Amino acid sequence: MEGFTCLAHVADDGRSQTILSHLQGTAGLAKRFAMPFGGEAQAELAGLAHDIGKYSDAFQKRLRGCPIQADHSTAGAVECWERRQLFAAFAVAGHHGGLPDGGSQTDRPDQATLWGRLKRKESLEPYGDWEQEITLPQAGVPPFLMKPSGPEWIFFTRMLYSCLVDADFLDTEAFMDGRSRERNETSMEALWDRLQSYISGWFPPKGELNHRRCQILERCIQEGEGRTPGLFSLTVPTGGGKTVASLAFALAHAKKHGLRRVIYVIPYTSIIEQNAEVFREILGRENVLEHHSNLLYDLEREARPHTIRLAKATENWDMPVVVTTAVQFFESLYACRSSQCRKLHNIAGSVVIFDEAQMLPLPYLRPCVWAISQLVAHYNVSAVLCTATQPALEPIFREFLPNISMRELCPPDICRWEVFRRVSFRQAGGMTWDALAAQLNAHSQVLCIVNTRKAAQEVYGRLDNTGSFHLSTLMCPSHRKEQLREMRRRLKEGLPCRVVSTSLIEAGVDVDFPTVFRETAGLDSILQAAGRCNREGKRPAAESIVYIFEGEAPAPPLFSAAIGAGKTVMSRYTDLTSREAVHRYFSELLDLKGKEAQDKEKILSLQQSAFFPFRTVAERFHLIDTPTRTVYVPWGEGAGLIEQLYAGGGGRTLFRQLGQYGVSVYEQHFAALEAAGDLEVLENGAAILRNPALYAAETGLSLEADSGKGLFI
């Protein structure tokens, strides 16, 4: 634009940033971000090219206040494409609107695919002034991409895109704020010293149990220092101290091999909250980022420097230790939007620990294992599958990683499972709900886990009133936490405490009952339930009984394969906790389901057959794939938050807070509540329970609408 300096941004205080400065700043950051996986040349190219469309008169006029549209990302994609730089072309094309599908050569210019975007070249505003300031390099690619197009190209492009969008955001933010973002510079060596201080009092250990725990811990430290990066398993029985042992391996390994961070991937938020608190106690609150949907960094009410740093770190995971959910981790790896992909490059060069790995959802198992394999093979990641019930995933990993074997960190000679045995199992046969309730009423402290929310309410309704509790996802999270606090108090004080729960209590919830009843389920669920019995190991295993029973209602079809595999193993093994039994169970389960069921949405075949199907894959890949709707209930502080919603509030902060007062219900339940007039659905889609009588302090949301019509789920 003759007579003007071409600008990329103008700050509120009138300061301006030239396009050249922004392109060079973004390219420098992106190049650094891509170094752990050898993508620095591609990242530098993408950084230099991403905003060259801003050299057009149209964009410069828009920046100076003219209300006109200006597509500035297509130009850079066109320039990369014409230089046969496919990866950078995709990354640049998607740096604002998200990675597009590749599409086909027959696509029209108005279509959102890359082919469609490239056909807009002739209609773009002239932007040729960029050539006076910038020279785009011919960028090489990492050696593993020197083969025909395939899924590895797609994965690399998404990682490259992550480098570009994070660099773009950070350079822009630094200009707008007048300074670069403050980073946490704590080294792995410093974190290692904190861990050493924390465990120093554990030695010499007292008693056989603590002796074994310390052996496991020492072995993990030795393996962390002695093993080269790659793929590992850590099979430790419940009570073996795997949380601290896995952290010790990760820090020792990262310190030895120059890895940048430790990422914990955990299936449920209930486990995350507990583990993150342990890590904060060991490593310091400033060094641990907890990132999941239930955690809100409220910058409106608590805008302290530490809170601001944590809130910003959720955007790109630039922290020494990150604790997150499997949903957040894997959906980001298959996402196409910048908000989800921005963090991905910070996974490279890390130790990633998959806690409770047996909970990886079967319909997405192969895509999850494939993604882990890519990280290990090409992105300098050491992955650890950490669980008390190690699934039989080795054959799938061998398929995707034929040249890398899975190495067990804690072999049987170190990890003698009989030392950690805390319970005995008994088959109780079939029971009606009345018979089951009679058994539960005969115990002062007992936990019963059933397969459905309806069954939980049925059994709870038959229990003695004093000291009886119900727990299910029909209760909002705040309500469940309140109930759990009271349960733990009663257990500790020896008061009556009879609990009927769905499987949610198995997901790492820290409770300790002398007796547990578990409705027939998969062996993994039964062993998780057993982890709530004699958890502290203070009672003899022979007196700590886990009863396995058949309920009066048929099991949901969703559980049929797991129950079938579980019954097969239970009929053949007397010790259900043995490695052999667990391995046989998971092998049976995977065989029963077959390969197709392990990739329900055909993610891997789609990546193989389609031309860079970023958007299509992102739409298909959802680990939690149940058709549910959220109903907000006026429970406790939820009533005040709902009033804010009525008053016109509806921002992200409010909805995050409301998450503690939301109940997820199936579509038919939602429809019945709405038809009975028990819900109010606002314009923004939020559904509020209008009839508070349908939410009970004992059992949460009723399974029946006010019309009395029952819903069987």
Side-chain angles (χ1 to χ4, degrees):
M1 189 173 180
E2 196 170 340
F4 288 95
T5 299
C6 290
L7 304 180
H9 304 108
V10 176
D12 292 339
D13 60 5
R15 290 179 300 111
S16 60
Q17 182 186 34
T18 66
I19 300 175
L20 178 61
S21 173
H22 176 56
L23 295 183
Q24 290 175 333
T26 301
L29 286 172
K31 180 179 180 179
R32 174 162 64 85
F33 294 160
M35 283 182 178
F37 55 93
E40 54 265 39
Q42 287 287 318
E44 183 179 29
L45 167 63
L48 288 172
H50 81 287
D51 269 358
I52 60 177
K54 289 186 175 182
Y55 281 94
S56 71
D57 285 359
F59 182 85
Q60 293 301 308
K61 289 175 180 176
R62 179 173 176 270
L63 197 62
R64 289 174 167 85
C66 291
I68 56 176
Q69 294 294 319
D71 173 1
H72 72 270
S73 57
T74 299
V78 167
E79 296 298 332
C80 290
W81 179 268
E82 291 182 343
R83 288 162 176 76
R84 298 189 176 185
Q85 297 287 349
L86 175 68
F87 306 117
F90 269 103
V92 171
H95 82 272
H96 275 295
L99 285 166
D101 280 350
S104 69
Q105 295 184 56
T106 60
D107 290 348
R108 302 182 309 275
D110 61 341
Q111 290 182 267
T113 62
L114 182 66
W115 273 110
R117 296 276 294 275
L118 295 173
K119 289 182 178 181
R120 300 177 197 169
K121 177 184 177 182
E122 302 307 321
S123 62
L124 291 175
E125 288 279 342
Y127 56 91
D129 286 356
W130 73 272
E131 293 176 297
Q132 299 175 27
E133 296 189 320
I134 297 291
T135 299
L136 296 182
Q138 271 300 118
V141 297
F144 70 87
L145 297 175
M146 302 296 289
K147 57 183 179 180
S149 173
E152 292 86 357
W153 286 28
I154 295 171
F155 200 94
F156 174 81
T157 304
R158 201 179 278 110
M159 294 294 276
L160 175 66
Y161 175 65
S162 169
C163 297
L164 173 61
V165 294
D166 193 28
D168 187 17
F169 275 115
L170 289 175
D171 185 78
T172 302
E173 179 186 282
F175 163 70
M176 292 296 188
D177 293 349
R179 56 186 173 84
S180 296
R181 177 181 294 192
E182 184 178 345
R183 299 183 63 215
N184 183 310
E185 301 287 354
T186 306
S187 66
M188 288 294 128
E189 287 78 8
L191 296 181
W192 172 255
D193 290 342
R194 290 196 179 207
L195 174 67
Q196 290 298 299
S197 175
Y198 181 82
I199 64 176
S200 60
W202 296 9
F203 297 89
K206 297 177 182 177
E208 175 69 3
L209 192 62
N210 286 329
H211 176 71
R212 290 294 175 183
R213 285 172 176 158
C214 287
Q215 273 192 316
I216 292 169
L217 176 62
E218 289 179 316
R219 178 60 180 246
C220 285
I221 292 171
Q222 292 167 9
E223 294 287 286
E225 293 172 339
R227 294 285 192 176
T228 55
L231 179 65
F232 304 93
S233 59
L234 176 58
T235 310
V236 175
T238 302
K242 67 182 170 70
T243 299
V244 176
S246 61
L247 178 64
F249 167 83
L251 293 178
H253 195 66
K255 180 168 65 77
K256 175 73 173 180
H257 298 288
L259 302 179
R260 303 180 299 167
R261 61 183 48 80
V262 176
I263 301 173
Y264 268 81
V265 182
I266 298 177
Y268 296 119
T269 53
S270 57
I271 309 176
I272 281 187
E273 290 162 358
Q274 292 173 189
N275 283 17
E277 193 53 47
V278 171
F279 299 149
R280 283 191 284 263
E281 182 183 350
I282 297 171
L283 304 174
R285 305 188 71 82
E286 70 280 7
N287 296 315
V288 179
L289 173 67
E290 186 180 350
H291 185 201
H292 54 85
S293 59
N294 285 353
L295 184 68
L296 170 70
Y297 295 105
D298 189 351
L299 300 186
E300 293 177 9
R301 295 191 296 183
E302 198 181 9
R304 295 182 291 111
H306 171 63
T307 311
I308 292 170
R309 280 198 300 274
L310 289 176
K312 287 185 174 182
T314 62
E315 299 167 353
N316 66 355
W317 286 3
D318 189 11
M319 286 280 283
V321 177
V322 178
V323 190
T324 190
T325 59
V327 171
Q328 181 77 240
F329 186 86
F330 287 108
E331 289 193 0
S332 296
L333 283 170
Y334 284 99
C336 67
R337 299 289 181 187
S338 61
S339 57
Q340 288 178 283
C341 293
R342 183 177 169 185
K343 65 179 82 75
L344 296 182
H345 70 88
N346 275 326
I347 299 174
S350 300
V351 183
V352 184
I353 295 174
F354 298 92
D355 196 20
E356 305 293 352
Q358 77 281 356
M359 291 185 180
L360 288 176
L362 196 63
Y364 297 92
L365 183 60
R366 288 178 65 81
C368 288
V369 172
W370 182 81
I372 297 170
S373 301
Q374 285 295 298
L375 292 170
V376 170
H378 305 307
Y379 296 89
N380 196 24
V381 164
S382 278
V384 184
L385 302 180
C386 179
T387 173
T389 54
Q390 193 65 250
L393 297 179
E394 293 96 329
I396 308 177
F397 274 108
R398 280 199 299 271
E399 181 183 342
F400 297 140
L401 284 174
N403 300 318
I404 299 175
S405 60
M406 184 185 295
R407 293 165 283 178
E408 172 59 48
L409 299 176
C410 195
D413 62 315
I414 295 290
C415 213
R416 288 180 52 202
W417 285 49
E418 61 271 17
V419 174
F420 296 96
R421 186 172 290 116
R422 302 172 180 184
V423 305
S424 298
F425 293 92
R426 289 187 191 169
Q427 297 289 341
M431 288 190 188
T432 64
W433 296 145
D434 286 333
L436 176 61
Q439 291 259 19
L440 300 178
N441 284 327
H443 291 79
S444 175
Q445 294 188 339
V446 63
L447 169 64
C448 176
I449 304 173
V450 291
N451 287 333
T452 67
R453 301 190 291 190
K454 181 175 177 58
Q457 291 195 353
E458 290 275 4
V459 177
Y460 173 78
R462 292 165 166 80
L463 295 184
D464 293 342
N465 289 333
T466 305
S468 294
F469 297 88
H470 165 279
L471 209 60
S472 85
T473 52
L474 286 170
M475 303 159 72
C476 65
S478 178
H479 190 181
R480 295 201 302 267
K481 289 176 183 177
E482 183 180 302
Q483 292 285 74
L484 279 165
R485 281 193 294 270
E486 178 60 13
M487 290 175 203
R488 291 186 179 114
R489 183 187 72 81
R490 297 182 75 90
L491 289 170
K492 185 176 181 181
E493 296 177 9
L495 299 173
C497 185
R498 302 175 197 88
V499 178
V500 181
S501 176
T502 58
S503 61
L504 71 88
I505 202 169
E506 294 170 354
V509 177
D510 189 6
V511 288
D512 184 2
F513 286 85
T515 305
V516 169
F517 284 71
R518 181 52 166 105
E519 188 174 7
T520 303
L523 183 61
D524 52 342
S525 292
I526 289 171
L527 296 181
Q528 288 291 323
R532 309 316 119 200
C533 183
N534 195 22
R535 189 169 180 80
E536 302 299 327
K538 295 178 180 178
R539 294 176 288 273
E543 298 174 13
S544 305
I545 310 299
V546 177
Y547 295 94
I548 304 167
F549 68 92
E550 298 263 3
E552 72 172 47
L558 183 66
F559 302 159
S560 59
I563 290 173
K567 285 182 175 179
T568 298
V569 171
M570 285 188 281
S571 69
R572 297 178 182 176
Y573 293 87
T574 54
D575 183 3
L576 300 184
T577 65
S578 69
R579 290 177 185 238
E580 296 78 15
V582 172
H583 191 279
R584 178 62 179 269
Y585 166 73
F586 281 105
S587 298
E588 288 270 345
L589 184 58
L590 295 183
D591 288 345
L592 277 173
K593 286 291 190 177
K595 279 189 176 183
E596 286 191 8
Q598 297 164 27
D599 186 3
K600 184 186 72 164
E601 296 294 334
K602 298 180 171 50
I603 301 294
L604 297 185
S605 59
L606 178 64
Q607 290 191 144
Q608 193 75 51
S609 61
F611 180 56
F612 288 73
F614 292 111
R615 199 152 293 195
T616 304
V617 164
E619 289 168 356
R620 290 189 186 185
F621 191 92
H622 297 288
L623 286 195
I624 300 176
D625 199 24
T626 51
T628 60
R629 302 279 298 274
T630 299
V631 174
Y632 296 111
V633 297
W635 171 266
E637 294 182 9
L641 296 172
I642 286 172
E643 287 302 318
Q644 292 182 40
L645 199 59
Y646 277 129
R652 203 153 106 187
T653 297
L654 179 58
F655 275 106
R656 283 283 188 89
Q657 292 170 325
L658 274 169
Q660 289 295 308
Y661 303 93
V663 175
S664 295
V665 300
Y666 295 105
E667 287 286 355
Q668 65 183 94
H669 192 183
F670 188 94
L673 291 168
E674 190 172 25
D678 295 323
L679 294 184
E680 181 171 0
V681 181
L682 305 184
E683 287 185 7
N684 60 14
I688 297 166
L689 184 68
R690 291 182 59 190
N691 184 357
L694 290 180
Y695 193 87
E698 297 80 17
T699 56
L701 186 64
S702 171
L703 282 168
E704 297 182 357
D706 202 31
S707 63
K709 181 170 63 177
L711 290 161
F712 299 92
I713 59 174

